[in-house]
Amino acid sequence: KAGVTQTPRYLIKTRGQQVTLSCSPISGHRSVSWYQQTPGQGLQFLFEYFSETQRNKGNFPGRFSGRQFSNSRSEMNVSTLELGDSALYLCASSLGRVETQYFGPGTRLLVL
Amino acid sequence: AQSVTQPDIHITVSEGASLELRCNYSYGATPYLFWYVQSPGQGLQLLLKYFSGDTLVQGIKGFEAEFKRSQSSFNLRKPSVHWSDAAEYFCAVGAENTGNQFYFGTGTSLTVIP
């Protein structure tokens, strides 16, 4: 089976812009979670989608949003980018609730 | 509040030596525990997991971990380290009441000396 894929792998944006990241889960997986990884804060949970519904949300501002499509693919959007949003954004997929999460390679976002 | 502590920020070992990476968690519910490894510029790869049952779990690449409820620990071990094991290691915890919202430790960076 193909693993979790994320596009794009690298992205450079400027402050105030918005960005959309994409994640395709492992075939058959219905849960997609997003994490932000930074040197200072480590890995922090953003949100989880299951069957097109947001099931859980971390402590991030409303500028961070996401959605999931009927084929389980997920997108994450960040509006009004700030310098502090520079990070590696990781997507993870799993079969269901409290299952093993399999991570994609990440999208590295740089905000200038 | 849930938390995961990896006390060692960085560890250096010689190739062929044994390895133990520490992980302590604070969790109100029955925890599900994981160890992941991350190579530079890459995503996280699952090494092993504990959900229930035997408290000594075997993983990939010769790694094992032992769940000790009394000590709230889930330490990762390998009897003989290979140079390719150099990477960042993360301990993570989840629980039934938080679904797939995993809490991660800050990671331990492993350097292997030839």
Side-chain angles (χ1 to χ4, degrees):
Chain A
K1 268 185 184 178
V4 178
T5 58
Q6 293 187 243
T7 57
R9 291 293 310 277
Y10 303 93
L11 209 47
I12 300 176
K13 293 285 187 179
T14 57
R15 279 181 297 174
Q17 287 187 310
Q18 74 163 19
V19 66
T20 299
L21 313 181
S22 180
C23 171
S24 292
I26 293 172
S27 178
H29 285 192
R30 297 168 65 189
S31 169
V32 173
S33 298
W34 289 88
Y35 291 83
Q36 181 194 65
Q37 185 179 24
T38 59
Q41 299 297 318
L43 279 148
Q44 294 187 288
F45 174 80
L46 281 155
F47 31 64
E48 181 205 1
Y49 285 86
F50 183 83
S51 294
E52 302 179 65
T53 301
Q54 188 180 88
R55 191 159 68 175
N56 216 345
K57 190 177 191 306
N59 188 27
F60 277 82
R63 300 186 296 108
F64 292 81
S65 63
R67 59 178 175 169
Q68 187 180 33
F69 302 95
S70 58
N71 61 358
S72 293
R73 189 178 70 85
S74 177
E75 287 182 348
M76 188 191 98
N77 186 75
V78 187
S79 62
T80 319
L81 284 165
E82 301 176 359
L83 295 179
D85 297 333
S86 295
L88 181 66
Y89 290 89
L90 293 164
C91 163
S93 79
S94 63
L95 279 170
R97 187 172 182 78
V98 201
E99 296 276 353
T100 300
Q101 293 189 55
Y102 296 90
F103 284 80
T107 294
R108 186 164 295 281
L109 172 65
L110 177 62
V111 182
L112 302 176
Chain B
Q2 303 89 342
S3 67
V4 179
T5 302
Q6 292 180 247
D8 304 304
I9 296 173
H10 185 245
I11 284 182
T12 299
V13 299
S14 299
E15 191 168 16
S18 63
L19 172 71
E20 182 169 23
L21 303 182
R22 296 182 290 165
C23 172
N24 293 96
Y25 66 90
S26 173
Y27 221 77
T30 300
Y32 302 109
L33 297 157
F34 306 83
W35 274 99
Y36 287 88
V37 61
Q38 185 178 37
S39 297
Q42 302 297 313
L44 276 69
Q45 181 184 21
L46 178 71
L47 285 175
L48 47 78
K49 61 186 178 184
Y50 172 79
F51 275 48
S52 64
D54 192 347
T55 56
L56 183 63
V57 294
Q58 302 297 320
I60 63 171
K61 303 184 180 184
F63 285 93
E64 67 176 27
E66 186 170 11
F67 171 56
K68 293 185 177 179
R69 184 184 298 275
S70 61
Q71 298 176 22
S72 298
S73 69
F74 188 58
N75 294 348
L76 181 71
R77 300 192 295 251
K78 186 169 184 178
S80 178
V81 170
H82 188 262
W83 64 266
S84 60
D85 293 325
E88 188 93 15
Y89 291 80
F90 292 92
C91 179
V93 62
E96 185 65 35
N97 63 336
T98 55
N100 286 329
Q101 179 173 354
F102 285 8
Y103 293 87
F104 283 84
T106 50
T108 297
S109 177
L110 175 66
T111 297
V112 180
I113 299 174

